[in-house]
Amino acid sequence: MRKELIVLLVILGVFLAIGCTGNGNEATNETVTPATNETGAATNETSVSEQNPDAITVSAAASLTEAFTDMESQFETENPGTDVNLNFAGSGNLRKQIEGGAPVDVFASADQKNMDMLANETLIDNSTRKDFAENSLVLIVPVNSDLNITGIKDLTASDVGKISIGNPETAPVGKYTTQALTDAGLWDQLKDKTILAEDVKQVLTYVERGEVDAGFVYMTDAKTADPGTIKIVATVPVNTSISYPIALVSASDNKEEAQEFVDFVTGDEGQEILEKYGFTPESE
């Protein structure tokens, strides 16, 4: 009888041990598995709710750097779902990027020629094309220059050695400059003195640093020079209006957002910003 009782007690103890172990495993599973799932779900929800906003790439002439940077901030404030990525360079280089398939949504050029070339290749949506600003060409010299330069004819003097102009192949400012000097009958005398720059900002930098004796830039860029570095000595007449067109790139995948940016640039707010930086409204 005693042996049977002992056996029963042992069996009962085994069952109790198995039961406790099972309950322990169930408790562990109930605690860990839901926590893991909840963490995973929370991560997924965060990635969806914090997705990057729709982004558009705007390729704009270097001379638009300050004005468009200002516009970017204001536009994104008013359109929080759109992120504007700005790409500045000489209009010719920007055109070549678009021709090469760069993912650009909006193109703003400092001349009509580069926009015309893209239009002829059907690389822009011509129905969205608008002229939105005008500029002027000026001659600048380092502020501490001791040369008697008051106009373009003075550049022919023997003591004037280096004149910076934009590369006519990549920067419209260079094309306007060479046309102006040719019309004035001075190009043949000055071409060997020229130092080519990739865009108008590089011309400005050369003059600011005193690395050249003079340079040709847009009025708007001259106004952005570091204080006390340059002097504007003359406004240079050009035979072609320095006008800026803007348009959607045909291959854009974000045409709705891109058009909203174009509308902003050509609308009242954009025009006010452009005028603040020295641009003038496009002539009717």
Side-chain angles (χ1 to χ4, degrees), residues 22-281:
N23 288 340
N25 287 340
E26 287 176 6
T28 301
N29 290 338
E30 288 174 0
T31 301
V32 175
T33 302
T36 302
N37 289 339
E38 287 172 5
T39 302
T43 301
N44 291 336
E45 289 172 3
T46 301
S47 64
V48 172
S49 63
E50 295 182 5
Q51 288 180 2
N52 291 329
D54 293 329
I56 60 171
T57 297
V58 177
S59 287
S63 52
L64 293 166
T65 299
E66 291 78 16
F68 268 37
T69 299
D70 197 342
M71 284 193 206
E72 174 193 17
S73 177
Q74 190 163 329
F75 178 82
E76 289 181 345
T77 297
E78 297 179 14
N79 299 271
T82 304
D83 180 27
V84 179
N85 297 319
L86 297 173
N87 174 37
F88 298 110
S91 298
N93 281 333
L94 296 175
R95 168 183 56 80
K96 291 176 183 178
Q97 291 173 9
I98 294 171
E99 290 172 333
V104 177
D105 300 289
V106 177
F107 177 46
S109 175
D111 69 346
Q112 299 294 332
K113 179 183 176 182
N114 284 292
M115 190 69 81
D116 289 341
M117 294 173 72
L118 291 180
N120 291 336
E121 299 173 82
T122 66
L123 293 177
I124 61 161
D125 183 346
N126 215 41
S127 66
T128 67
R129 178 174 177 173
K130 290 184 178 181
D131 297 337
F132 65 94
E134 291 186 350
N135 216 331
S136 57
L137 184 68
V138 295
L139 174 62
I140 62 173
V141 299
V143 71
N144 60 356
S145 173
D146 55 5
L147 301 176
N148 185 30
I149 300 174
T150 60
I152 58 176
K153 291 183 179 180
D154 297 326
L155 298 176
T156 62
S158 59
D159 54 355
V160 177
K162 295 179 181 180
I163 305 164
S164 184
I165 71 170
N167 185 341
E169 297 300 317
T170 59
V173 70
K175 189 66 176 177
Y176 294 126
T177 299
T178 55
Q179 287 177 344
L181 295 176
T182 299
D183 291 343
L186 300 173
W187 177 244
D188 288 340
Q189 301 175 63
L190 299 177
K191 61 184 179 182
D192 291 338
K193 297 182 178 184
T194 57
I195 305 297
L196 298 183
E198 283 303 298
D199 56 46
V200 68
K201 294 299 185 185
Q202 191 172 49
V203 175
L204 180 63
T205 298
Y206 286 158
V207 181
E208 286 177 321
R209 293 176 178 174
E211 297 174 0
V212 296
D213 298 314
F216 291 85
V217 300
Y218 298 124
M219 176 65 81
T220 54
D221 292 288
K223 290 183 176 181
T224 69
D226 290 338
T229 59
I230 64 117
K231 292 187 296 187
I232 300 173
V233 296
T235 298
V236 182
V238 293
N239 61 17
T240 302
S241 173
I242 303 177
S243 62
Y244 290 65
I246 189 170
L248 265 63
V249 176
S250 299
S252 170
D253 292 327
N254 307 286
K255 286 188 168 61
E256 182 178 349
E257 294 82 4
Q259 184 61 57
E260 288 174 351
F261 184 80
V262 170
D263 292 342
F264 183 88
V265 172
T266 58
D268 292 341
E269 290 178 285
Q271 291 296 297
E272 287 179 7
I273 292 173
L274 287 162
E275 288 188 46
K276 182 174 73 173
Y277 288 96
F279 293 89
T280 56

